[in-house]
Amino acid sequence: MQRRKVTLKLYPNAAQMAQLDAWTRLHCELYNAALEERIDAWRKAGKSISYYEQQNVLPQIKVDRPEFIALGSHALQQTLRRLDLAFAAFFRRVKAGQTPGFPRFKSSMRFSGFAYPDPAGWKLMQHGGRGATLRIGSGDAALSIRARGRHRFGGEAKPNDITLTRRNGQWFVSVTLRVPDAACARERTADMRRGVDFGINDWATFDAGPPIANPRWVRTELPRLAALQRERARKRKGSVRYKRLSRGIAVLHDRIVNLRRDFVHKETTKMVQSCAVIATEQLAPKTMSRSAKGTVDAPGRRVRQKAGLNREMLSAGFGMAHAMLAYKAEEAGTRLHLSHTRQLKPSQRCSACWELVPKTLAQRVHVCPHCGHTAPRDRNSALVVLIDAFNTQDTPGTGVAARPKPRPRQRGKSRSVTRETPTTAPSGA
């Protein structure tokens, strides 16, 4: 059995939306009270309170505050566990020397929602096609909310837990499904071997064939976004018009997110369905998009240009594409090869003679002074990672391509590290 998550949009009526908002306020109150208890216990007595100590107080809370009974014991426990995870992440960042980010009190309007960690207290009924009904609670006080959405796993998928989320005045439910391995399998239509180089000029460039253009969602909506932000800056903070414009900005950002996710889903699905081997480099968008501002003692250079480049890199969604390729390749039995970028240097290496040819970011054509090979820079990078996929020392390849010139191993350095999805036979093979 495997776990997959699917998100459905909810369509509550006015009374149901008011009830969901009231439940969210109660969960937010519990979260803030538990956070205050932990802070006071440490300040006054130097004592750390664990999740289990706070969980054991829930029965008494429900006696003193009967309105918490309708929320369900498991949902309340999940809210306390959410706070416990926030503290665990805080201490992990402290030990790692990162910016700690102490857990903060939350406003009820900024509290995203609540969750049911097991099948108790709710039921999801699918009505064929895209229609569904989510029933929360029991008895006369239960809510039956219309939902819209579907998944591809059929009737064998069993719901395991749900998370209700409020975003821009709309409600969504994310359902975790327990799915048999056979239902997860994807059917491949071809057995191509392709190298892929993700970039900004073109979203994806292959070793052969036309590239995939970059839609540039943020750049397209940037004039409208800037106009709304300028208009909001002229309004008094907290006024009705200020809040209305803030909602408009949030809706615009949400639209960009939805367009990006839909595009990446479709393109990664096409890649996986048509390829038996996909090779690309292991990117780190968080590191690549660091600010060039620098410090007071050592200020950075070309800060505005780097900020624009960072915006384009984050808008392209490279990290999202890698995550989707990983699980979709496993479902389709496709081998996904992620080359170690710093050791392989795909952008600087010649795919014909395997020599390093240093280039600046502005040089978009690869011209090798050693062998005379000329190719577009991104296509040359795609060829390099494809050759590396079949000639790694760590994981044996299945292809017949040979590296023209073996890369010498340098002393004192570790071997090239690659990550690959396990190769499984596609369904119907």
Side-chain angles (χ1 to χ4, degrees):
M1 298 290 286
Q2 299 190 26
R3 297 198 174 205
R4 294 292 183 268
K5 182 168 286 188
V6 59
T7 301
L8 289 74
K9 185 176 180 180
L10 298 178
Y11 294 88
N13 55 34
Q16 292 172 343
M17 184 170 291
Q19 185 65 65
L20 290 174
D21 291 338
W23 286 352
T24 303
R25 286 194 295 270
L26 291 176
H27 279 280
C28 180
E29 182 182 350
L30 177 65
Y31 183 94
N32 290 334
L35 176 57
E36 184 178 10
E37 183 185 21
R38 291 194 179 208
I39 294 175
D40 290 345
W42 179 257
R43 283 179 177 174
K44 297 177 180 179
K47 178 185 176 183
S48 297
I49 298 180
S50 67
Y51 158 75
Y52 296 100
E53 291 175 312
Q54 293 185 321
Q55 173 192 283
N56 294 336
V57 187
L58 286 177
Q60 185 61 40
I61 292 178
K62 288 190 285 187
V63 172
D64 298 336
R65 299 282 302 276
E67 59 267 28
F68 279 92
I69 298 176
L71 303 183
S73 300
H74 294 182
L76 295 175
Q77 293 171 8
Q78 187 65 17
T79 298
L80 294 179
R81 192 174 287 111
R82 177 176 173 180
L83 176 64
D84 189 63
L85 290 174
F87 270 98
F90 165 74
F91 289 118
R92 174 181 52 80
R93 289 190 293 267
V94 170
K95 291 181 180 179
Q98 302 172 352
T99 304
F102 190 81
R104 298 187 297 178
F105 294 99
K106 296 182 181 292
S107 162
S108 61
M109 295 303 297
R110 299 180 67 88
F111 201 75
S112 59
F114 52 95
Y116 291 86
D118 48 47
W122 60 275
K123 185 177 182 181
L124 182 65
M125 296 165 284
Q126 204 81 25
H127 302 315
R130 292 179 176 268
T133 300
L134 176 65
R135 183 179 175 86
I136 306 175
S138 60
D140 297 334
L143 298 181
S144 295
I145 307 174
R146 291 192 305 112
R148 184 174 182 268
R150 64 178 180 180
H151 56 80
R152 64 180 184 85
F153 304 112
E156 298 179 355
K158 303 299 180 184
N160 186 74
D161 59 79
I162 61 171
T163 301
L164 287 95
T165 306
R166 178 179 55 189
R167 187 167 65 244
N168 297 332
Q170 298 178 328
W171 282 91
F172 300 86
V173 57
S174 295
V175 187
T176 302
L177 303 173
R178 290 181 286 111
V179 186
D181 295 339
C184 288
R186 295 173 180 264
E187 183 178 356
R188 278 213 315 260
T189 58
D191 293 324
M192 301 172 61
R193 299 181 178 90
R194 310 198 76 174
V196 186
D197 181 78
F198 292 101
I200 295 176
N201 290 338
D202 291 311
W203 186 76
T205 303
F206 301 99
D207 60 296
I212 301 175
N214 186 1
R216 300 182 185 272
W217 304 275
V218 174
R219 180 181 292 188
T220 303
E221 299 291 349
L222 204 57
R224 184 183 173 193
L225 182 63
L228 288 174
Q229 290 175 337
R230 283 194 298 267
E231 189 175 355
R232 185 181 65 172
R234 293 192 291 267
K235 302 296 183 288
R236 183 169 56 87
K237 191 172 183 179
S239 64
V240 174
R241 293 179 179 178
Y242 184 92
K243 293 178 180 178
R244 184 185 301 125
L245 289 169
S246 297
R247 286 195 297 269
I249 293 172
V251 169
L252 185 57
H253 277 295
D254 200 38
R255 180 174 181 272
I256 294 172
V257 170
N258 291 335
L259 288 172
R260 181 189 301 116
R261 183 184 298 112
D262 179 70
F263 172 84
V264 177
H265 260 301
K266 291 179 179 177
E267 296 301 331
T268 52
T269 300
K270 292 177 184 176
M271 291 183 197
V272 168
Q273 287 180 343
S274 61
C275 297
V277 177
I278 299 176
T280 185
E281 58 181 314
Q282 185 177 350
L283 299 176
K286 185 176 180 180
T287 305
M288 295 164 59
S289 59
R290 284 179 179 171
S291 174
K293 188 178 296 184
T295 61
V296 177
D297 299 330
R301 298 174 57 251
R302 302 175 66 88
V303 178
R304 294 186 62 184
Q305 290 84 346
K306 184 61 168 64
L309 179 63
N310 293 345
R311 182 178 62 238
E312 292 295 328
M313 282 191 292
L314 295 174
S315 173
F318 301 143
M320 184 187 300
H322 280 188
M324 291 183 183
L325 280 174
Y327 80 84
K328 292 180 181 180
E330 184 177 354
E331 292 175 351
T334 298
R335 176 183 166 213
L336 175 63
H337 176 90
L338 299 179
S339 298
H340 195 288
T341 304
R342 291 192 176 182
Q343 289 191 357
L344 183 63
K345 296 181 174 60
S347 298
Q348 311 294 332
R349 193 172 295 278
C350 179
S351 60
C353 66
W354 214 248
E355 295 289 345
L356 288 176
V357 183
K359 294 184 285 291
T360 64
L361 192 60
Q363 294 176 278
R364 306 312 303 171
V365 178
H366 167 79
V367 179
C368 182
H370 305 283
C371 66
H373 176 64
T374 303
R377 174 187 179 129
D378 296 338
R379 176 156 297 179
N380 177 77
S381 301
L383 279 167
V384 169
V385 294
L386 181 60
I387 294 173
D388 185 69
F390 295 119
N391 295 273
T392 58
Q393 297 177 356
D394 299 282
T395 51
T398 58
V400 295
R403 176 171 290 160
K405 183 179 180 182
R407 176 159 44 101
R409 182 181 175 185
Q410 300 179 4
R411 294 182 178 179
K413 291 189 176 182
S414 59
R415 299 165 68 183
S416 176
V417 180
T418 58
R419 294 196 293 116
E420 298 187 8
T421 58
T423 304
T424 57
S427 62

